[in-house]
Amino acid sequence: MSSHSKAAEKFIADRPRTDWHNQALWFVRQKRDNMARSIPEWEALREAAARTKMHTITHLAYYLEMFERNATANGIHVHWAKDALEHNETVYNILKEHGVKHLVKSKSMLAEECGLSPYLEERGIEAVESDLGERIMQLMHQPPSHIVLPAIHVKRQEVGELFERELGTEHGNSDPTYLTHAAREHLRDKFLHADAAMTGVNFAVASSGAFVVCTNEGNADMGTSFPKLHIAIMGLEKVIPDYDALAIYHRLLARSATGQHSTTYTSHYKRPVEGQEMHIVIVDNGRSKILGNPVHRNMLRCLRCGSCMNTCPVYRRSGGYSYSYFIPGPLGINLGMLADPKQYSGNVSACSLCMSCSNVCPVKIDLGEQIYSWRQELDTLGLANPVKKGIVKVLNTALGSPGMFHFCIKAGRLGEKISPRGLLYCGANAWGRSRELPEFTARTFEQIWKEELSSTASCNTETARKGSSTNI
Amino acid sequence: MTSKDTILEALKANSPAPVERGPLGFTPMTFQDPLAKFQENVVSIAAAKCFLLQDGESVDDIIRRVYPDAKRIASNLPEVTCATVNPDGLDDPRQLAGTDVGVVRGEFGVVENGAIWIPRAVRHKALMFISEALVILLDRRNIVNNMHEAYARPGFDDYEFGSFIAGPSKTADIEQALVIGAHGPRDVTVILL
């Protein structure tokens, strides 16, 4: 059993909660569909987005150097980090130089990827998450379960209890408006007293040396409005050529992510303001290696919108924590395998190959196809499931010759009749755990073909041939 | 070798054959009556209030009518005579805490998403985010159809900080229930001049 199946078993044990989770995400997917249908050029926009990203990732060194040159000219300090450790050290050194004790953060998947918050906390720096969902998860001491909707799996009653304990809200009050406004007061204080602000980067515009941060809450904007120091961190694939490209992604991001026309705040940072210092850390951490992988380099196009998760039937019904990589869903399955196949191969089975993820992706990443290809690669990587390998060997023999094939069919029909239910539905039959096996038909297809269909079929072929010749 | 060199070298070594960017490949959506549609979208999409300034009416009239209880109104715009604070006179942005209404000027509006481009033209950008209510003044002639037109406007790149703002601050992080007033303004009013 894969690591995902095992973890998902816990999640789906609570059936009403599974349905609730599924519905919550499906609602977001439907909002995305409404957006897509309201833009006549939607598919052409996706096409342009995919092509522009392909152009960018095949010119990454060029655009990154252009970005660095322009950002530096704008007065932004640019740093480069090979891996997660160098990223964490770079951030820590900047904070240490400025004597920072309290950092206020907006959501960044890169920070999660690098394990930044625990790294800073070990060194005596408090990193407060300011996105409401992220803050809820931080107070619960749990990771986010979705990259855009971090607390999508948490019920309002649980937030109510958490805030009563942590922020002193009224007992038994779980009204989202009341709780959100309590968090507003709590975080307002953090914003005003932070020594430094950190944001992620949605887009880095090479031609201008500016970077763009999108939020609905305005938490990134509030965070960067008071302290003298702003550190932005970006995966190197976040660079885009210019504003023409930004127009494309601006139109697609929020529509794909949450089904909004745009985020409430799409903020552009180009120069530090009076008395402020601005730093940006450009991080590789395996991305340059992904570029060299012909099957999987498309992953570098990703905007981190999360639409592949919202649409995924497996994610919706198994939750973010069923995946062993910190990013769940189709995106996480692929990124996990690229990060460390040995550690994360337990996720590749979490896919029904319905390809819905590939169909909603705003930059047309072939997410489902890539998961399929990872499954093909498992044996080469020495990670194939031995039970499944055994089954394939047996099938190979069973289907290897007509004699063997016929024998197996007969044996199967007999087996179905005489086997006790307890044996057919034993633990080894995962498929039969929540489903009934279909009954064998009275005759095999081969028998039906020989007895009835073959004569009619040849007749039809004859008619078809005549028909076509008449037409000619 | 520096990390920058290591990274750039790896990117160059691993880069596949270059892909051409190509033309945009489509005509972006436009609107028959952009001003009317913009007003509609500011309300229905961005969840803000929207007023077209009438003859004989002043910006002050509208601000006073919409926010009758506002005590602290911050603005550096000359036409906002009801302002009680000039935010540019404050040395520390934290002094803006407790602002009831902040008034700023937007440069242009975008019909397709109801957002308004606001390059920072006050000393502290905090004004745009910490005010309980934000009033945005916008010239009604400065409306573009879509984001392609927005970013292609001459002189767009001329800003230090700027934000496309679409209505009040919002969140849906608790059970996907939409709540207005997450961290920033709880209310936004657009006045078209």
Side-chain angles (χ1 to χ4, degrees):
Chain A
M1 214 173 166
S2 74
S3 69
H4 178 272
S5 308
K6 270 186 219 153
E9 220 160 26
K10 272 185 245 157
F11 185 84
I12 59 172
D14 186 344
R15 184 62 194 265
R17 200 179 175 112
T18 309
D19 289 343
W20 167 79
H21 187 267
N22 175 34
Q23 283 305 322
L25 287 149
W26 187 247
F27 173 65
V28 184
R29 155 76 208 258
Q30 283 178 318
K31 286 203 293 178
R32 173 259 169 218
D33 288 354
N34 292 340
M35 285 295 124
R37 287 182 199 124
S38 70
I39 309 280
E41 66 268 27
W42 182 260
E43 287 306 318
L45 193 58
R46 286 177 71 213
E47 189 57 45
R51 204 177 48 243
T52 308
K53 275 283 178 185
M54 274 323 284
H55 167 75
T56 313
I57 66 171
T58 56
H59 297 82
L60 270 173
Y62 172 75
Y63 284 122
L64 284 167
E65 282 193 290
M66 186 194 289
F67 175 76
E68 182 193 39
R69 203 163 50 240
N70 290 326
T72 306
N74 294 340
I76 302 174
H77 301 270
V78 180
H79 309 261
W80 300 75
K82 290 190 295 290
D83 51 27
L85 180 64
E86 192 178 9
H87 161 267
N88 291 349
E89 286 170 351
T90 306
V91 171
Y92 174 66
N93 287 336
I94 303 169
L95 295 174
K96 201 169 73 174
E97 262 174 46
H98 290 76
V100 172
K101 288 281 160 219
H102 305 282
L103 174 73
V104 65
K105 262 184 88 262
S106 69
K107 187 148 56 83
S108 158
M109 283 307 113
L110 180 61
E112 296 281 337
E113 178 185 323
C114 297
L116 179 68
S117 291
Y119 180 93
L120 293 179
E121 263 152 43
E122 280 167 25
R123 286 155 185 80
I125 296 175
E126 179 202 38
V128 174
E129 296 290 349
S130 60
D131 171 81
L132 176 59
E134 285 277 334
R135 185 65 182 152
I136 290 169
M137 297 325 300
Q138 187 174 42
L139 290 172
M140 291 179 97
H141 304 289
Q142 280 178 22
S145 78
H146 186 292
I147 61 169
V148 174
L149 317 161
I152 187 74
H153 63 295
V154 182
K155 293 221 169 196
R156 62 179 72 187
Q157 289 79 7
E158 291 159 342
V159 180
E161 286 161 23
L162 175 76
F163 280 12
E164 185 190 338
R165 207 165 54 238
E166 299 286 341
L167 314 180
T169 55
E170 287 167 25
H171 175 71
N173 195 337
S174 56
D175 175 56
T177 303
Y178 169 72
L179 295 174
T180 300
H181 290 157
R184 176 187 170 96
E185 295 313 313
H186 158 73
L187 284 162
R188 179 65 59 104
D189 188 59
K190 303 280 181 194
F191 287 129
L192 290 173
H193 297 104
D195 307 314
M198 168 171 277
T199 67
V201 169
N202 289 95
F203 308 104
V205 185
S207 64
S208 164
F211 60 92
V212 179
V213 183
C214 306
T215 75
N216 279 318
E217 300 181 4
N219 54 314
D221 305 284
M222 278 293 280
T224 54
S225 284
F226 306 102
K228 295 284 179 209
L229 177 64
H230 173 186
I231 305 174
I233 56 174
M234 62 176 264
L236 56 78
E237 82 285 14
K238 294 288 177 192
V239 74
I240 56 172
D242 51 28
Y243 288 115
D244 286 344
L246 182 56
I248 296 171
Y249 300 116
H250 187 149
R251 296 186 76 195
L252 283 167
L253 180 64
R255 287 183 170 103
S256 300
T258 53
Q260 295 171 273
H261 293 76
S262 75
T263 44
T264 304
Y265 301 100
T266 306
S267 295
H268 298 50
Y269 295 85
K270 196 172 138 191
R271 284 193 192 95
V273 298
E274 178 191 315
Q276 197 192 41
E277 214 175 284
M278 202 180 267
H279 294 257
I280 189 158
V281 188
I282 301 172
V283 184
D284 183 342
N285 203 33
R287 287 162 177 77
S288 59
K289 205 174 130 214
I290 297 175
L291 185 64
N293 184 327
V295 183
H296 299 290
R297 66 167 61 105
N298 283 347
M299 293 313 301
L300 291 175
R301 293 188 213 163
C302 179
L303 308 180
R304 302 290 190 270
C305 74
S307 61
C308 58
M309 288 160 212
N310 304 340
T311 200
C312 177
V314 181
Y315 173 80
R316 281 188 276 119
R317 292 179 182 82
S318 61
Y321 296 156
S322 296
Y323 299 79
S324 53
Y325 192 58
F326 80 100
I327 296 178
L331 171 64
I333 295 173
N334 282 301
L335 291 180
M337 286 302 280
L338 286 163
D340 185 353
K342 284 213 163 43
Q343 205 177 335
Y344 301 115
S345 67
N347 299 320
V348 296
S349 61
C351 172
S352 64
L353 297 178
C354 75
M355 305 296 169
S356 182
C357 48
S358 306
N359 284 314
V360 298
C361 176
V363 286
K364 299 184 97 164
I365 300 174
D366 50 346
L367 290 141
E369 290 82 349
Q370 290 195 46
I371 295 172
Y372 181 67
S373 91
W374 280 121
R375 291 185 187 171
Q376 314 304 305
E377 289 166 53
L378 282 180
D379 199 32
T380 322
L381 293 165
L383 295 166
N385 179 329
V387 176
K388 285 185 185 165
K389 272 180 84 167
I391 293 172
V392 170
K393 269 191 194 142
V394 172
L395 281 173
N396 205 22
T397 316
L399 305 171
S401 74
M404 200 56 181
F405 177 70
H406 289 123
F407 170 76
C408 287
I409 289 195
K410 280 192 185 122
R413 289 167 160 273
L414 187 65
E416 187 212 16
K417 285 204 186 80
I418 62 167
S419 300
R421 190 175 166 85
L423 181 66
L424 276 180
Y425 291 88
C426 70
N429 179 6
W431 195 88
R433 237 176 271 157
S434 51
R435 281 167 285 213
E436 285 292 308
L437 291 167
E439 259 182 57
F440 277 93
T441 53
R443 289 181 297 167
T444 63
F445 175 73
E446 192 183 13
Q447 283 168 324
I448 297 171
W449 176 262
K450 278 186 181 155
E451 290 163 18
E452 294 171 26
L453 297 176
S454 59
S455 52
T456 340
S458 59
C459 232
N460 285 345
T461 322
E462 204 56 34
T463 323
R465 217 172 278 147
K466 276 182 193 156
S468 60
S469 58
T470 326
N471 285 343
I472 291 166
Chain B
M1 203 152 83
T2 64
S3 294
K4 175 186 166 183
D5 295 335
T6 311
I7 293 167
L8 291 177
E9 246 174 57
L11 288 174
K12 283 173 191 160
N14 290 339
S15 188
V19 171
E20 285 299 311
R21 196 166 167 185
L24 190 59
F26 60 89
T27 311
M29 68 201 291
T30 55
F31 302 86
Q32 271 193 339
D33 184 349
L35 179 61
K37 191 69 183 169
F38 176 72
Q39 292 178 76
E40 185 189 321
N41 285 353
V42 164
V43 176
S44 65
I45 294 175
K49 300 181 173 79
C50 190
F51 298 96
L52 203 58
L53 193 72
Q54 305 297 320
D55 286 339
E57 195 180 32
S58 74
V59 168
D60 284 348
D61 294 338
I62 297 179
I63 295 172
R64 279 297 175 203
R65 196 170 73 227
V66 179
Y67 305 106
D69 301 325
K71 292 195 172 56
R72 196 165 185 236
I73 301 175
S75 184
N76 64 358
L77 302 174
E79 58 264 63
V80 185
T81 50
C82 66
T84 61
V85 186
N86 181 351
D88 293 351
L90 306 174
D91 286 331
D92 186 339
R94 291 171 182 85
Q95 292 170 280
L96 286 164
T99 300
D100 295 314
V101 178
V103 191
V104 295
R105 196 186 303 283
E107 203 163 286
F108 62 87
V110 187
V111 183
E112 73 162 316
N113 53 26
I116 297 171
W117 173 244
I118 310 177
R120 183 181 69 84
V122 283
R123 186 167 169 198
H124 309 292
K125 81 178 202 297
L127 180 70
M128 288 146 71
F129 307 106
I130 203 169
S131 303
E132 287 293 301
L134 182 69
V135 174
I136 305 166
L137 309 187
L138 181 66
D139 186 330
R140 68 184 78 182
R141 292 166 302 183
N142 295 343
I143 305 287
V144 299
N145 286 291
N146 53 57
M147 291 313 303
H148 307 282
E149 291 179 13
Y151 283 120
R153 271 177 68 98
F156 175 84
D157 197 29
D158 188 18
Y159 64 89
E160 289 184 344
F161 169 87
S163 189
F164 283 98
I165 297 186
S169 152
K170 346 179 155 58
T171 185
D173 273 351
I174 301 174
E175 281 198 17
Q176 281 296 293
L178 178 70
V179 179
I180 305 285
H183 295 299
R186 298 170 195 254
D187 202 70
V188 168
T189 295
V190 178
I191 303 177
L192 294 160
L193 309 175

